Amino acid sequence: MLIENDKQAKHDETRQGEALVMDPVSGSKKLYVESYGCAMNFSDSEVVASILAQEGYSTTRNAEEADVVLINTCSIRDNAEARVRKRLTDFKKQKKSKPELVVGVLGCMAERLKQSLLDEEKLVDLVVGPDAYRELPGMIEEVGGGQKAINVLLSREETYGDITPVRLDENGISAFVSITRGCDNMCSFCVVPFTRGRERSRDPQTIVRECAELFERGYREVTLLGQNVDSYRWNMSSKGAIKDPSQPTTNFAELMEMVAQVNPLLRIRFSTSHPKDMTDEVLEVMAKYANICPYIHLPVQSGDSNVLQRMNRGYSREWYLNRIEAIRRIIPGCGISTDIITGFCGETEEEHQATLTLLDAVHFDFAYMYKYSERPKTLAERKFEDDVTEEVKSRRLEEIIEKQRAHGWANNKSQIGEIHEVLIEGTSKKSESDLTGRDGRNTKVVFPAVNGLKKGDYAWVKILDCTSATMIGEVVPQP
Ligand code: 5AD
Ligand code: SF4
């Protein structure tokens, strides 16, 4: 799921790059949280804010007035880490003039770099991995007593399922809800299994309760989050054996159905799907409920079966195309986006061409495209050479971006004349008299405000025009 406003403007680092500064909630001691990376990190920051709110912390958007600064970090690519390091130097300066300031690193970099982060970045006081956030209050206290504190233990159980996150988003309409943590897939390029640990699923009752509470507070959209939502399972082992026969089991399709039934006015999104695990059952549930958005983010990574094998993705080009065919058959008109990595170890020109032909075959609505960045400890780092030159990686990335841009643009244009249901997120930044929101396919739609429509309402909008990232339309009666 995507944090940034719109479509990929820069080539690399868009998805993982945007920092979010948290909105204020009330309390006496001041906490400033800055989040980088995937939606899961942003969601975790809300759990952290909730844990610290219990201790009397309120969040601030102004780092200058904070007693505690926490940076929730991302390790997915080298440049994501580089950005955080640069930011840490800013806080070092702030700490020099305010020595009592507590500066902590949370998330994937904390987990990956552990003690070395305390040794290297001398002015970092706290290093806390993704499964240790409950320990934060005690750790901050320790730091107050003049010590450094570190906890990077990963857990097989922690889901923070009982914690109601403090919502730190700006619009009060869309919220992230975590359903799994960690990842067992071991894609060879990916650091996540090392930084976020083994996969575990959250109790479905706590998920449904959180969604129902969000709806009651005025939220109209939830995004169910996991590294691989399709492998969500409750009361089942990874091999499918029932753990407690007296209790029901729940898979992802069933969970989504439970959430869809919270209220027909609550929109459901989810991210991220995995091609090897996405079942027709999930697609059929999507087709059955009007409030489950017809949009799937299905990372392909490469269009070549040999590269996919080196990536340890667990599917071939043909399998992926079969999943696309199933989506289009079961949910006609479903939006589809993807992730692509260019220049993975040993990628030949033919293998790169296969990614280009896959783009032509699928015609994605949107793609996040990255150059391969070798990550320490991963299977690829141990097994393969990072042998595609930077120049070739960049050129291939350009070729992919250019093709994808044309497809996205053409897909948008093909919607002109259609009528879409839009969830209104607020007034347009460019004009007070325009409203903005998203359709079910996650495309931004802007249209003139009429009939007292406001944030949180649904409107039927006829698409009249589009840019590469935005549809422009007018309100029409419900068809
Ligand atoms: N280099 C480049 N991109 C990566 N991703 C994950 N690991 C790497 C890496 N080492 C991309 C994948 C994934 C997305 C979240 O980030 O495309 O789907
Ligand atoms: Fe990383 Fe693969 Fe897990 Fe996604 S599915 S988090 S790419 S290991």
Side-chain angles (χ1 to χ4, degrees):
M1 172 65 196
L2 328 171
I3 308 300
E4 54 291 318
N5 298 335
D6 268 309
K7 311 282 172 162
Q8 185 157 335
K10 289 184 282 156
H11 296 171
D12 209 4
E13 261 338 285
T14 303
R15 179 183 191 175
Q16 304 291 338
E18 295 298 308
L20 183 80
V21 177
M22 296 312 188
D23 251 356
V25 290
S26 55
S28 64
K29 291 172 278 181
K30 296 263 183 271
L31 165 70
Y32 174 88
V33 191
E34 207 167 278
S35 304
Y36 291 83
C38 64
M40 190 67 82
N41 258 9
F42 288 73
S43 169
D44 278 1
S45 292
E46 298 186 330
V47 166
V48 166
S50 172
I51 291 168
L52 290 175
Q54 306 287 321
E55 306 293 316
Y57 281 89
S58 64
T59 50
T60 171
R61 289 189 143 257
N62 179 4
E64 306 275 303
E65 65 172 28
D67 303 296
V68 176
V69 166
L70 299 176
I71 308 171
N72 200 349
T73 60
C74 171
S75 288
I76 200 105
R77 281 170 292 277
D78 192 43
N79 46 4
E81 289 198 354
R83 286 186 68 187
V84 169
R85 283 179 195 282
K86 195 161 164 288
R87 195 69 181 118
L88 279 174
T89 58
D90 296 340
F91 292 116
K92 274 186 186 177
K93 279 187 213 132
Q94 191 179 332
K95 197 170 155 81
K96 274 195 181 133
S97 59
K98 187 180 175 185
E100 71 279 13
L101 177 70
V102 176
V103 178
V105 176
L106 315 181
C108 288
M109 275 176 83
E111 194 60 49
R112 196 179 85 68
L113 298 166
K114 303 186 169 65
Q115 182 70 31
S116 69
L117 208 48
L118 286 181
D119 302 340
E120 264 175 63
E121 311 284 344
K122 292 253 179 310
L123 292 172
V124 171
D125 306 296
L126 271 175
V127 173
V128 193
D131 287 345
Y133 298 146
R134 285 182 204 265
E135 307 305 322
L136 261 166
M139 293 173 77
I140 292 174
E141 226 168 90
E142 259 177 64
V143 171
Q147 293 171 27
K148 303 270 175 193
I150 177 163
N151 188 335
V152 288
L153 287 178
L154 288 172
S155 154
R156 279 178 173 257
E157 281 91 37
E158 180 62 272
T159 62
Y160 301 112
D162 57 316
I163 293 179
T164 304
V166 167
R167 298 293 160 188
L168 298 162
D169 59 285
E170 281 183 25
N171 71 2
I173 297 296
S174 311
F176 295 128
V177 176
S178 294
I179 65 165
T180 67
R181 294 183 73 78
C183 185
D184 283 351
N185 281 323
M186 299 301 271
C187 299
S188 64
F189 51 79
C190 187
V191 78
V192 168
F194 303 93
T195 58
R196 290 193 156 266
R198 299 302 299 270
E199 183 185 286
R200 62 223 101 119
S201 297
R202 180 176 167 193
D203 181 340
Q205 297 306 330
T206 69
I207 297 171
V208 170
R209 200 182 316 132
E210 188 175 326
C211 293
E213 281 169 12
L214 283 164
F215 183 79
E216 267 168 30
R217 287 168 47 201
Y219 283 81
R220 290 294 174 264
E221 185 172 87
V222 290
T223 301
L224 307 179
L225 287 182
Q227 306 296 344
N228 173 3
V229 288
D230 297 296
S231 63
Y232 175 88
R233 63 183 101 79
W234 182 250
N235 195 22
M236 272 183 282
S237 75
S238 55
K239 298 203 168 65
I242 298 175
K243 286 183 182 165
D244 177 354
S246 68
Q247 296 294 319
T249 60
T250 312
N251 66 20
F252 181 56
E254 291 159 342
L255 175 74
M256 201 155 55
E257 188 150 23
M258 286 159 74
V259 177
Q261 287 169 357
V262 164
N263 194 297
L265 288 177
L266 182 67
R267 262 186 178 182
I268 322 299
R269 298 187 185 277
F270 54 89
S271 189
T272 298
S273 302
H274 197 302
K276 81 177 163 60
D277 297 321
M278 194 190 66
T279 59
D280 286 4
E281 189 192 355
V282 166
L283 301 178
E284 275 147 17
V285 170
M286 289 177 74
K288 186 169 152 194
Y289 288 88
N291 58 333
I292 303 181
C293 291
Y295 174 78
I296 300 183
H297 183 64
L298 196 65
V300 65
Q301 315 297 1
S302 166
D304 183 89
S305 294
N306 288 323
V307 176
L308 289 170
Q309 198 166 19
R310 294 203 291 282
M311 288 178 164
N312 199 28
R313 287 288 289 175
Y315 57 85
S316 62
R317 174 189 175 100
E318 291 67 36
W319 174 275
Y320 187 87
L321 290 173
N322 164 285
R323 294 291 75 210
I324 296 292
E325 185 274 322
I327 295 172
R328 299 229 152 106
R329 174 168 40 83
I330 300 170
I331 319 165
C334 187
I336 306 176
S337 60
T338 200
D339 291 345
I340 291 170
I341 297 177
T342 66
F344 184 64
C345 309
E347 187 188 66
T348 63
E349 211 48 45
E350 291 70 44
E351 289 168 342
H352 164 61
Q353 289 299 324
T355 299
L356 290 167
T357 61
L358 182 117
L359 289 183
D360 282 332
V362 179
H363 245 253
F364 291 105
D365 293 284
F366 185 67
Y368 293 90
M369 296 158 277
Y370 311 104
K371 284 188 262 186
Y372 172 58
S373 162
E374 186 175 78
R375 308 310 290 133
K377 279 203 197 163
T378 55
L379 242 72
E381 191 239 8
R382 286 182 277 143
K383 241 172 107 177
F384 306 121
E385 203 182 326
D386 180 12
D387 54 359
V388 178
T389 63
E390 191 55 29
E391 198 187 342
V392 171
K393 280 181 187 169
S394 298
R395 195 253 304 150
R396 290 180 185 169
L397 183 64
E398 285 298 332
E399 287 174 14
I400 283 168
I401 287 170
E402 197 180 320
K403 191 173 273 294
Q404 178 49 41
R405 196 174 281 146
H407 290 161
W409 181 233
N411 285 2
N412 274 359
K413 277 198 207 146
S414 72
Q415 320 267 313
I416 292 176
E418 288 186 4
I419 295 173
H420 292 190
E421 191 180 26
V422 175
L423 172 59
I424 300 170
E425 290 171 6
T427 46
S428 156
K429 277 189 197 130
K430 287 193 186 142
S431 160
E432 280 285 304
S433 56
D434 286 341
L435 293 171
T436 173
R438 274 167 205 278
D439 65 9
R441 295 164 58 115
N442 209 25
T443 308
K444 188 171 165 189
V445 183
V446 178
F447 54 96
V450 288
N451 308 338
L453 283 170
K454 58 182 185 321
K455 189 161 101 169
D457 290 343
Y458 288 94
W460 290 92
V461 177
K462 183 168 186 183
I463 307 303
L464 303 174
D465 202 355
C466 69
T467 67
S468 60
T470 307
M471 309 270 202
I472 296 137
E474 67 182 9
V475 175
V476 293
Q478 178 171 355

